[in-house]
Amino acid sequence: MTARIVGMTAADATRCEELETVLFPGDSPWSAEAFRSELTGPHNRYFVARDESDVMLGYAGIALLGRGADAESEVHTIGVDPAHQRRGLGAQLLAALLREADGHGGPVFLEVRTDNEPAIALYRGTGFEIVGTRRNYYQPSGADAYTMRRPAARVEGQLS
């Protein structure tokens, strides 16, 4: 499924909250206000996936941190409506985040539940590797998370 990936607006926050409660019911889903707050951060980039009828099917966000040799990025969230999962929307949203990260420079980090095999496979397919485990990372469920890292992308014209 191909969707339009566009910048998230404050008007999208309510739908994001709805999806969060379905996707992460046992782990403190983000509120609409949390999404609106994230949108105000100058270092944050958030996107939504929309179908041909303009319905929001998923969302994703990343923080672009540091500058120059200290640059790095951190994926904050990716979520896709369960009725539309396994159709490539997560990959499209991740690609949008990674374009932002590659333009910023440096490695990219994220956390993912250790039992979320589809997400882990998606991340591995784009160059992420598990670099650690965070015990009891997700609350209140106490689920563990892997920390994953993708090295800085080689940008055309950079010296090796």
Side-chain angles (χ1 to χ4, degrees):
M1 167 180 232
T2 301
R4 288 183 303 113
I5 307 298
V6 297
M8 182 186 289
T9 68
D12 295 317
T14 300
R15 174 69 172 140
C16 290
E17 179 180 42
E18 291 170 3
L19 289 174
E20 282 275 307
T21 60
V22 172
L23 295 168
F24 310 110
D27 289 317
S28 301
W30 287 17
S31 67
E33 185 54 40
F35 279 99
R36 284 190 285 273
S37 177
E38 287 296 306
L39 290 174
T40 66
H43 58 279
N44 293 337
R45 305 291 181 273
Y46 276 72
F47 298 93
V48 296
R50 296 189 180 285
D51 70 9
E52 60 281 348
S53 300
D54 210 37
V55 174
M56 193 186 92
L57 305 176
Y59 57 89
I62 193 167
L64 309 175
L65 307 167
R67 296 190 179 276
D70 295 325
E72 64 180 50
S73 299
E74 179 181 308
V75 174
H76 283 177
T77 188
I78 297 178
V80 174
D81 183 326
H84 298 279
Q85 290 178 355
R86 304 271 195 202
R87 298 181 187 177
L89 294 175
Q92 291 174 33
L93 287 161
L94 180 59
L97 298 183
L98 294 178
R99 280 191 296 276
E100 293 288 325
D102 292 348
H104 181 68
V108 183
F109 295 89
L110 60 80
E111 275 78 33
V112 60
R113 281 180 66 118
T114 57
D115 62 355
N116 190 343
E117 292 298 327
I120 293 166
L122 172 65
Y123 300 141
R124 285 188 177 187
T126 59
F128 283 89
E129 295 180 351
I130 295 171
V131 295
T133 303
R134 292 180 180 238
R135 301 281 178 219
N136 301 309
Y137 181 78
Y138 292 100
Q139 295 300 318
S141 71
D144 295 339
Y146 289 130
T147 297
M148 298 185 80
R149 177 183 185 273
R150 189 193 79 159
R154 187 175 186 286
V155 177
E156 196 64 33
Q158 280 183 339
L159 298 177
S160 299

